[in-house]
Amino acid sequence: MIKVDNISKTFGKLAVLHGISTTVERGEVVAIIGPSGSGKSTFLRCLNLLEVPTSGTITIDGVDITNPKTDMMQVRQRIGMVFQHFHLFPHMTVIDNITFAPMRVKGLSKEEARAKGLQLLERVGLADKADVYPSKLSGGQKQRVAIARSLAMDPDIMLFDEPTSALDPEMVKEVLAVIRDLASSGMTMLIVTHEMNFAREAADTIYFLDGGRLIERAAPEEFFVRPQSERAARFLEQVL
Amino acid sequence: MSKWFKRAVTSLAALLLLLGIIGGTGSGLLTAVTGSTLAIAEGAESTATTGGGQTIVMGTSPDYPPYENTDAKNGGKVVGLDIDIAQAIADKLGYKLEISGMDFSGLIAALQTERVDFVMSAMSVTEERKQSIDFSDSYYAARNTIVSKKDSGLTTMASLEGKNVGVQLGSTQEEAVAGMESTSKITKLDKIPNLIQEIKAGRMDAAIVEDAVAWGYTDANPDLQFTILDPNPNDLGYAIAFPKGSELTAQFNAELQKMKDNGELQAIIDKWFGALGQDDSKKVSKSGLDFSILDGYVGYIFKGIFVTLLFTFVSALFGFIWGAILSLFKISNIAPLRWFATAYTSVFRGTPLLLQLFLIYYATPQLFNYDIPALLAAGLAFGLNSAAYLSETIRGGIMAVDKGQREAAIALGIPYKTMMFSIILPQAVKNILPALVNECVALVKESSLVSVIGVADLMRRASVVQAATFRSFEALLLIGAIYYVLVLLLTSLAGLLERRMRRSD
């Protein structure tokens, strides 16, 4: 479904990604792990062109999204993204946050969008919060709303950029539960995370990045039990 | 919040419509607002042969009683000596008379562009003016006077040697003091009320003004006196002005001569000059403040609140919308838009607002052949100027919105325009609300500048009342209080709005 071919990214003189290539199958759940500054987030952000790769190509369902002629708006509607700091729209209520893009981008009627939004809120366990403003929510609740907001666009792919890193420990569980539920529903997902246990049980594949390179790509039981590289072994020693 | 923006868009549409109305009907709305153009000849004889009921337009600057002034007490009609003479002549010739009020400095231009058919505005015949317009015979020769404090002893031109003497800028009295500049200090001010105030304050010893003016002011200010000077043999007197080669000149001269012969002209002159001494409302015993002189003028002044508010609203809204567009130019990826917005801000912030106002009002008719109404010119000038400041404020507000908001919108596939207007700008506006309120408050007060091009706002109406009452401070203090109350109301409204917008915090 996603084919990444030799992408590199430099910011000025700083090279962040060095020739990463991989493919992601439909329904595959990928957990991207690695030390800070290894390029995990940049890699993820390249997949919906929040960062434009300096070289290399990314193909999604046969469409080369790195080609400047591709209509990125169309592509992005199919790729949901959840951020570390939620980025809910603070001047809109929870339900308005969720229905805004479906109404304004996909042209859903207000009633359709709202019905769907309420259904999604139900799914993330926040049906009672539809009409409050984001400032009244806890971090975990905000992140669940952010997930519902992305899902409202019916994406084929979901990107999670450290979705639990900004949360208090007691909030992490509720958010991971939602993501896990989503993974089991067959959604194609890439998740940058520091939650090793979660990565191990929820992911189909682990990507280990270090120094801007994709060092290892393996099934969780393989990776966590028998890491191939010395760097991965050292990293696991430190975090586990 | 999208509702908020829908409302903004609706308001924009309303604004454009309003501008359209102002522009489209031309002097129509301007008239409604300034209240100075009045058809006053409903009873013109339809049987007369010459005019055949045609309408002729007279230009005048209605701030010079008893020749012409706005009768603020009675619905703002223009009345006076000149009006009565013009009416009498128009009646005899069978024309309908229409009065068009404007600044004195704009009268000759109005004749040359034939926006008016003739001008009567206590206009003296001078050689320079004869170069560009025609004059009728003179209908009245005013005498110069020396106005000074009582018991000052300044009663002859000789006694003014070494003194500080004032005249009105651009008046014929400038000639009277032309030879005195080496021996006395001559000060030229725009307005006669200011000359009078300078004398009362002791900063000026005397002023040379014409008799009718001296009469009115010494009457209203018992601490002043005046002495009539000998007639100047070179003074050609006041006359009616026409465009070069106008057919009206001969017709008017013939009627004027008849009125001189049968005493009708003298009767009109006596009526108006006699009235100066008889109007009890102007007789004031106190030399301090006396607000009772405003009796009858308050309604007229209060109508200016509407003009001031309308004007402030139009220019604030226009300034905000144009400022928001400019701020988007400034953060745009397209270099020419950025250059344009930067240059625009630089020019409009770098030059005086008053200058921009003058240029737009006086240059537009020449450059675009469009007779721009004063209120539209003022709204345009203030909006364009305000936008320059607001574009920087709004840009700052946009920059202060978290970068993540943009990324979240982009990731949802929301197009740039929708993102800016529905997500970024509402948050930016909330951030900069206090600065926006500042700008509105400044606009309310700066709006008083528009009185210079004749918009009948609060300031202009105060000037009219000053001229009519021959008193300086009372009307000014009243509008000062009105401005203050308007600003108070505005800030409390803004407080409410701010609380409403902080609902989401």
Side-chain angles (χ1 to χ4, degrees), chain A residues 45 76 88-89 91 135-136, chain B residues 405 407 410 422 504-505:
Chain A
R45 289 159 61 86
R76 286 190 183 117
L88 294 179
F89 305 133
H91 57 301
S135 57
K136 299 282 186 291
Chain B
Q405 293 290 311
E407 293 191 344
I410 291 171
S422 298
S504 58
D505 289 353

Side-chain angles (χ1 to χ4, degrees), chain B residues 10-288:
Chain B
T10 318
S11 313
L12 172 63
L15 168 74
L16 292 177
L17 191 66
L18 183 63
L19 290 179
I21 292 169
I22 297 175
T25 59
S27 60
L29 184 71
L30 175 70
T31 303
V33 173
T34 59
S36 57
T37 306
L38 294 160
I40 59 169
E42 292 89 358
E45 299 159 41
S46 54
T47 51
T49 46
T50 327
Q54 259 181 294
T55 298
I56 49 172
V57 181
M58 161 174 156
T60 190
S61 171
D63 52 6
Y64 204 60
Y67 295 96
E68 50 268 316
N69 69 301
T70 307
D71 187 2
K73 282 188 178 176
N74 300 309
K77 267 178 72 160
V78 179
V79 297
L81 173 63
D82 285 347
I83 316 302
D84 280 2
I85 296 174
Q87 187 64 63
I89 295 176
D91 283 352
K92 291 182 211 307
L93 292 174
Y95 290 113
K96 275 184 193 269
L97 181 65
E98 192 180 306
I99 309 284
S100 174
M102 62 189 75
D103 254 25
F104 192 83
S105 55
L107 287 171
I108 290 180
L111 276 175
Q112 287 174 323
T113 55
E114 304 200 354
R115 274 156 66 176
V116 297
D117 297 303
F118 70 102
V119 159
M120 273 188 93
S121 200
M123 186 178 275
S124 302
V125 180
T126 64
E127 287 306 320
E128 284 130 344
R129 286 176 183 155
K130 275 185 180 170
Q131 309 271 327
S132 43
I133 52 177
D134 283 349
F135 281 105
S136 72
D137 300 332
S138 165
Y139 58 87
Y140 183 74
R143 303 267 293 272
N144 284 348
T145 70
I146 300 173
V147 173
S148 63
K149 273 196 178 161
K150 264 208 172 110
D151 311 320
S152 65
L154 302 175
T155 53
T156 62
M157 290 304 274
S159 68
L160 295 179
E161 199 176 308
K163 301 290 184 188
N164 193 346
V165 181
V167 290
Q168 187 184 17
L169 187 67
S171 69
T172 50
Q173 284 75 39
E174 268 184 297
E175 280 173 37
V177 297
M180 296 168 59
E181 264 151 14
S182 52
T183 53
S184 306
K185 183 168 181 275
I186 306 296
T187 308
K188 295 174 181 179
L189 297 181
D190 268 338
K191 293 191 168 181
I192 290 172
N194 298 349
L195 288 174
I196 300 299
Q197 212 48 51
E198 288 290 89
I199 295 172
K200 291 181 75 160
R203 285 194 289 253
M204 210 178 256
D205 297 304
I208 311 287
V209 300
E210 69 157 272
D211 46 8
V213 174
W215 201 324
Y217 278 102
T218 51
D219 213 30
N221 298 275
D223 49 341
L224 299 182
Q225 63 171 16
F226 74 100
T227 315
I228 297 181
L229 296 169
D230 293 333
N232 176 357
N234 298 327
D235 184 6
L236 301 174
Y238 294 146
I240 309 167
F242 301 91
K244 274 262 178 233
S246 168
E247 294 172 359
L248 288 175
T249 317
Q251 296 175 19
F252 271 54
N253 267 338
E255 291 304 328
L256 199 58
Q257 191 56 49
K258 281 185 214 159
M259 288 173 70
K260 280 179 186 169
D261 293 343
N262 66 17
E264 196 178 344
L265 182 64
Q266 193 57 47
I268 294 175
I269 291 169
D270 287 347
K271 172 189 160 197
W272 286 98
F273 277 85
L276 274 182
Q278 286 158 13
D279 188 345
D280 281 343
S281 70
K282 287 176 197 150
K283 284 214 182 293
V284 183
S285 50
K286 286 186 282 179
S287 54

Side-chain angles (χ1 to χ4, degrees), chain A residues 45 48 50 73 76-77 79-81 83 87-92 100-101 104-105 133 135-136 149-150 153, chain B residues 1-2 402-405 407-416 418 422-424 426-427 430 503-505:
Chain A
R45 289 159 61 86
N48 68 350
L50 277 184
M73 286 301 163
R76 286 190 183 117
Q77 287 175 33
I79 307 176
M81 182 154 193
F83 300 85
H87 300 326
L88 294 179
F89 305 133
H91 57 301
M92 298 180 189
F100 183 82
R104 299 293 288 273
V105 181
Y133 282 95
S135 57
K136 299 282 186 291
R149 179 175 69 175
S150 288
M153 291 295 282
Chain B
M1 199 48 64
S2 67
D402 183 8
K403 197 167 126 259
Q405 293 290 311
E407 293 191 344
I410 291 171
L412 284 167
I414 295 171
Y416 181 82
T418 313
S422 298
I423 292 168
I424 306 296
Q427 297 183 57
K430 197 173 107 177
R503 258 184 338 183
S504 58
D505 289 353

